Amino acid sequence: MITLACLGLFGTVQAQPVSDNEMPWFNQTAANNKYALIITGAAAAPDIRDRFRRWTSTLRSTLIEDYGYDSSRIRILLDDGENVGNLSSIISGSSRVDDIKRQVSVLAEQVNEGDQLSVFLIGHGSGTFGEAKFNNVGPDMTGAELADMLSVFTAQDLIIFNTTSASFEFTRELSLPGRVVVSATRSAAERYDPLFADYLIAGLQGHTADLDRNGRVSVLEVFNYASTRVADWYREQGRLATENAVLDDTGDGLFSREPGQQQADGLLAEIAYLDVIRPVAEKTSPRAREVLSQIQSLERDIFILRNQKANYLEDDYWNRLEALLIDLAVQTREYNALP
């Protein structure tokens, strides 16, 4: 479980204060489910197509095996939907704009209030300031079009990873309060195929990006992992970086390269986890999932309180923290005692 050290409770907190009423998102319960929509666009060459398909397949298997997703809650839309070989059994259709609209409508009927939907865009992007597109088979999709499709998800938690080239202007269209939005690039000029998707998936595999070792991976953790690895790659190659990943979780469309406690962005991404709530395999008690959900909710409250520290008198802050930590200890003890 989470520790005081990994929470950073004893460090200096400089984050923007956020009240409980302003942070209603990403508070998953045992009753909630998590869904994923993977949209893989057209490829410029056969070898690139094979890479996109490998990423797509690996991402799906990682979400199922490492994060507890039910395979029926993952939808894959793949280039033209044809000649997909051994991927035929796992795709829901092509990534043509009409198919995307159709599948988003299906998801809108299935994803309930409080559930979480993660959207992954894999492929090529293009654009200039004010106009950017995701390269589909057939007419390309604009950010405004995808934003319109996703507008139906008003009572759900939404995470969007756009891993394409020249993705920024497209991704900026998707920013709204309550969403965590990641772009592999920060400008239309960054038009070469990014490495970000590769490192994003690597960070997800085996919970490699679980930097605070609490057994889960947040969007902030995997973003920091992938963007750091991209920067390291360019540095090791002695090359000028042609991609810079950015994140927005305030809904203002102003993305940060280094989100976190000292930045405007990062507070929501820190509590947005990709993992489904599931007890360890050894736990057979039907109550285990509910207690684990309560533990994770308390951990979330501790993170939020830490980021609000500047709003409290010193004694009030520590009293509130103590109460949360006592509750966390009680719930953790109950969870550990369950068969």
Side-chain angles (χ1 to χ4, degrees), residues 68-334:
Y69 283 66
D70 188 306
S71 60
S72 67
R73 297 193 177 105
I74 301 176
R75 295 186 174 271
I76 295 176
L77 303 178
L78 188 65
D79 48 61
D80 63 3
E82 301 175 358
N83 301 316
V84 295
N86 59 5
L87 299 183
S88 60
S89 63
I90 64 172
I91 70 169
S92 300
S94 78
S95 60
R96 293 184 175 91
V97 175
D98 287 345
D99 271 355
I100 296 172
K101 288 180 180 177
R102 188 159 35 250
Q103 290 301 325
V104 169
S105 295
V106 171
L107 281 168
E109 296 295 323
Q110 297 176 342
V111 183
N112 295 320
E113 181 177 350
D115 287 348
Q116 179 175 302
L117 172 64
S118 296
V119 179
F120 299 86
L121 294 165
I122 296 173
H124 298 295
S126 61
T128 58
F129 182 80
E131 182 180 49
K133 296 181 179 181
F134 176 80
N135 296 161
N136 304 84
V137 174
D140 291 339
M141 177 173 62
T142 66
E145 286 178 309
L146 182 58
D148 184 60
M149 295 180 211
L150 297 177
S151 64
V152 295
F153 298 105
T154 57
Q156 294 82 12
D157 295 326
L158 201 59
I159 300 168
I160 303 166
F161 293 95
N162 188 349
T163 69
T164 73
S165 52
S167 54
F168 178 71
E169 294 298 338
F170 183 103
T171 311
R172 189 164 62 173
E173 296 276 2
L174 307 175
S175 292
L176 280 178
R179 291 183 181 179
V180 182
V181 186
V182 172
S183 172
T185 66
R186 63 173 177 173
S187 76
E190 296 182 342
R191 61 186 184 277
Y192 300 104
D193 285 337
L195 302 168
F196 186 80
D198 207 7
Y199 287 110
L200 172 70
I201 295 168
L204 291 174
Q205 288 181 293
H207 286 75
T208 301
D210 178 17
L211 302 180
D212 63 14
R213 301 305 176 207
N214 70 345
R216 298 184 288 158
V217 172
S218 69
V219 178
L220 182 62
E221 286 177 313
V222 75
F223 173 86
N224 285 336
Y225 176 91
S227 57
T228 298
R229 294 305 179 277
V230 168
D232 289 345
W233 185 89
Y234 279 100
R235 184 164 47 251
E236 290 164 3
Q237 297 292 316
R239 297 170 56 180
L240 181 66
T242 57
E243 60 178 288
N244 294 273
V246 289
L247 180 151
D248 173 52
D249 63 2
T250 61
D252 60 5
L254 301 175
F255 287 66
S256 297
R257 285 188 60 192
E258 297 179 351
Q261 292 180 36
Q262 299 183 25
Q263 303 295 325
D265 295 298
L267 304 187
L268 193 60
E270 186 178 38
I271 60 171
Y273 286 93
L274 293 164
D275 303 70
V276 171
I277 298 174
R278 57 172 180 169
V280 295
E282 294 77 12
K283 295 290 181 186
T284 58
S285 170
R287 181 162 165 72
R289 190 165 186 262
E290 180 181 348
V291 177
L292 183 59
S293 171
Q294 293 168 359
I295 289 171
Q296 293 182 3
S297 181
L298 286 166
E299 292 173 353
R300 173 186 182 276
D301 290 343
I302 290 170
F303 274 124
I304 292 173
L305 178 64
R306 182 203 64 188
N307 293 327
Q308 292 178 321
K309 186 178 180 182
N311 285 0
Y312 296 98
L313 296 174
E314 190 77 6
D315 287 347
D316 190 18
Y317 171 79
W318 290 110
N319 287 337
R320 288 170 181 263
L321 177 61
E322 181 182 28
L324 287 171
L325 291 174
I326 290 172
D327 286 347
L328 180 60
V330 170
Q331 294 294 337
T332 300
R333 182 174 60 192
E334 179 181 353

